[in-house]
Amino acid sequence: MKKLIAPLLLCVLLLCACTQGAEPPVQTKDVENSRTLVSTDTFTVEAVVDGENVKYRYTVFDLDGKTIESAFCAEMPKVSQVSEALAGIRFTDDGHSWARYYDLKNGKASESFMNAFWSDGELVAYNAYDNGHIMVVRSIFDESGYHFETPVESDSWQIFVTAAELSEDGTSLSVEFVDGDGTNPDAKVKTITLPLVPEE
């Protein structure tokens, strides 16, 4: 349950908003009712005061400096530059979380992936609910690309992924998860294998 491997660490970096191994520098410049919290060549995050409330505005730029996306959210997003051409943002709101990726070279934004727990920059794995729990692996940007999903047996309304391990040949992902929100130390660990390449 405690084993962490490179792909899971990549996802953890995304979830924890570490940028290339280090926390982005915090800027303190105040502009009217906003304050820049994070600023790089490819993204900014600002805190915007609206009366007694604070909202967060994020902006993602492509490699030419053009805006890909800019929007407000209720809780501070966690941003990570995964590679020179790929950035990811982890959003949370009222206990829910999802990830969104940005192709900085081609100026594209991905769909939002609820409960994303693994990515290699081309594929993303996440758990969702569709008439029951399912595990999904799919291409991040190519809607006609790779897509695999399988049902997951669970008596709980929630499941929590504790580990994801890439096979030695890179063709599958072994995922460990528990029923519930991951806070029960006695929860039984379950395992499922997700293929990362089409079956021959």
Side-chain angles (χ1 to χ4, degrees):
M1 211 159 127
K2 294 184 178 179
K3 55 186 169 177
L4 294 174
I5 48 85
L8 183 59
L9 287 177
L10 173 67
C11 188
V12 169
L13 290 178
L14 174 60
L15 304 188
C16 296
C18 295
T19 302
Q20 297 180 347
E23 194 69 23
V26 175
Q27 307 294 325
T28 58
K29 181 180 178 184
D30 289 314
V31 180
E32 298 179 348
N33 65 341
S34 68
R35 184 170 66 132
T36 301
L37 303 175
V38 179
S39 181
T40 72
D41 290 340
T42 55
F43 58 83
T44 62
V45 177
E46 300 169 280
V48 180
V49 178
D50 181 14
E52 296 182 1
N53 300 315
V54 177
K55 298 185 293 186
Y56 298 91
R57 176 171 52 215
Y58 68 92
T59 306
V60 182
F61 307 97
D62 68 14
L63 296 179
D64 294 324
K66 297 177 183 175
T67 300
I68 299 175
E69 183 172 88
S70 184
F72 285 94
C73 46
E75 298 180 18
M76 183 174 173
K78 308 291 193 289
V79 187
S80 174
Q81 179 118 13
V82 179
S83 67
E84 181 182 356
L86 181 68
I89 299 183
R90 183 75 170 187
F91 301 93
T92 55
D93 186 23
D94 195 26
H96 301 287
S97 67
W98 62 97
R100 196 162 165 85
Y101 296 87
Y102 300 87
D103 179 341
L104 305 177
K105 182 177 180 181
N106 298 303
K108 295 192 302 185
S110 76
E111 296 178 25
S112 296
F113 303 107
M114 292 292 291
N115 306 314
F117 58 82
W118 178 88
S119 175
D120 64 358
E122 294 183 10
L123 300 175
V124 61
Y126 58 97
N127 60 281
Y129 194 89
D130 184 12
N131 294 320
H133 292 288
I134 58 172
M135 291 277 186
V136 182
V137 179
R138 57 159 288 183
S139 297
I140 294 174
F141 295 103
D142 185 1
E143 292 184 13
S144 63
Y146 183 72
H147 185 105
F148 174 85
E149 63 182 61
T150 186
V152 176
E153 293 296 325
S154 174
D155 295 327
S156 174
W157 67 273
Q158 185 177 8
I159 60 175
F160 183 81
V161 173
T162 59
E165 183 174 357
L166 189 66
S167 64
E168 288 187 10
D169 61 5
T171 63
S172 64
L173 189 68
S174 177
V175 180
E176 292 183 356
F177 65 97
V178 294
D179 291 338
D181 62 3
T183 59
N184 180 2
D186 298 322
K188 181 182 177 182
V189 178
K190 304 177 183 181
T191 304
I192 190 170
T193 300
L194 304 177
L196 301 179
V197 296
E199 293 183 2
E200 296 183 359

